[in-house]
Amino acid sequence: MNWDIIEGNWKQAKGKVQQQWGKLTDDDFDRVQGKRTELAGKIQERYGVTKDEAERQIGAWARDYRH
């Protein structure tokens, strides 16, 4: 899925993002505001994964995302 669509529907998408990455806090979501690079950084921080792994996870999630 095109990330612009997810970013544009962030309020709806963040519930599904929170299901996928439950360690992210409400403050994290407020900071991310739908920005993919910010989300990757928060996933790296909370889960201790590399940038490449965070991007891979986001890509896999985005392909399956349905709003």
Side-chain angles (χ1 to χ4, degrees):
M1 165 150 306
N2 184 322
W3 193 261
D4 291 335
I5 294 169
I6 294 170
E7 188 173 353
N9 293 312
W10 183 242
K11 288 185 181 188
Q12 295 82 14
K14 74 179 184 178
K16 293 185 187 238
V17 173
Q18 195 164 28
Q19 288 175 348
Q20 178 70 30
W21 294 284
K23 291 183 181 180
L24 299 179
T25 66
D26 288 336
D27 286 341
D28 292 337
F29 288 111
D30 290 343
R31 287 189 183 98
V32 168
Q33 296 182 355
K35 295 176 183 70
R36 185 178 176 134
T37 56
E38 295 290 327
L39 178 59
K42 289 299 177 184
I43 292 170
Q44 283 180 264
E45 182 181 318
R46 298 284 183 226
Y47 287 88
V49 298
T50 65
K51 180 180 179 182
D52 288 343
E53 175 59 18
E55 286 290 340
R56 187 199 65 74
Q57 289 180 20
I58 293 168
W61 177 85
R63 281 190 295 278
D64 294 335
Y65 173 73
R66 302 285 180 260
H67 59 282

